[in-house]
Amino acid sequence: VLAFIYSYYKEQIRQMTLLPQAIHLLCGISYFFIGANLGKVQNDQNTLILSLYFGLLYAFGSLNSELIDYKADKSVNALGILKKFSMSQIYYAIIALQFLSIFLVSYYFYQTNNYSLVAFICFGFLVYLKNLDKKNLLAFRRTYRLLFNFCTLILLLGIL
């Protein structure tokens, strides 16, 4: 329902501060729970942790799109969250959400006694942070997609 409302009223919703990101967060959580229930996975603390991880991926992806689309949105007076926050604030908010998502997936692996994967993912995130390029947002997006696709692959292989 949220995805439908977002799609139908996209222009109006995008103009509201934080609402698009909240919708992306809730949709990501919901999508994971739907998949978990279809796969007959037990809903427990780990399911909640992993659903939050996927919800955060959707949310910071939405924020990054706001940064990438800034010039085009500004030219048609369609700025969303960037009406209230600067590009730097959004950029650092993305990194904070990424850190939280890395913490969640690391905590999941810690709970399941996969300590080497915790170390590996944390090391990957530190390398990622060291190589960030704030001026090239498309490279930033490519880099975080690579990192989080890798984390998700490890997660899926660990679950299977």
Side-chain angles (χ1 to χ4, degrees):
V1 172
L2 280 175
F4 174 76
I5 292 170
Y6 181 78
S7 296
Y8 191 74
Y9 296 105
K10 187 173 187 168
E11 296 307 314
Q12 294 90 344
I13 289 173
R14 281 194 66 221
Q15 304 256 343
M16 298 177 194
T17 305
L18 296 177
L19 184 59
Q21 290 72 37
I23 289 173
H24 280 87
L25 176 68
L26 292 173
C27 284
I29 290 169
S30 299
Y31 296 155
F32 184 82
F33 271 115
I34 289 168
N37 285 325
L38 288 174
K40 309 253 190 275
V41 174
Q42 179 182 355
N43 287 327
D44 59 6
Q45 176 186 359
N46 287 334
T47 308
L48 178 61
I49 289 169
L50 295 178
S51 69
L52 287 171
Y53 167 75
F54 284 102
L56 287 169
L57 294 182
Y58 268 58
F60 71 69
S62 170
L63 285 172
N64 193 59
S65 292
E66 293 275 342
L67 293 179
I68 290 171
D69 297 339
Y70 174 73
K71 286 181 184 175
D73 289 347
K74 186 176 180 181
S75 71
V76 294
N77 199 24
L79 292 176
I81 196 167
L82 289 166
K83 282 194 268 186
K84 301 265 186 200
F85 300 100
S86 71
M87 289 184 76
S88 286
Q89 289 172 316
I90 299 301
Y91 180 81
Y92 291 115
I94 292 168
I95 293 172
L97 291 173
Q98 290 173 342
F99 179 79
L100 181 56
S101 64
I102 287 292
F103 172 79
L104 288 169
V105 77
S106 296
Y107 183 73
Y108 167 79
F109 283 125
Y110 177 80
Q111 293 286 48
T112 58
N113 299 320
N114 288 311
Y115 306 117
S116 58
L117 288 177
V118 173
F120 191 67
I121 288 173
C122 290
F123 176 74
F125 190 64
L126 291 175
V127 169
Y128 162 75
L129 288 175
K130 184 182 179 304
N131 293 304
L132 284 180
D133 181 4
K134 185 177 177 183
K135 294 180 181 163
N136 187 343
L137 294 172
L138 291 174
F140 175 57
R141 181 174 65 187
R142 271 192 309 276
T143 306
Y144 82 65
R145 282 182 175 173
L146 179 66
L147 172 68
F148 287 95
N149 283 334
F150 182 70
C151 287
T152 302
L153 179 64
I154 290 173
L155 185 63
L156 290 172
L157 292 174
I159 290 173
L160 300 177

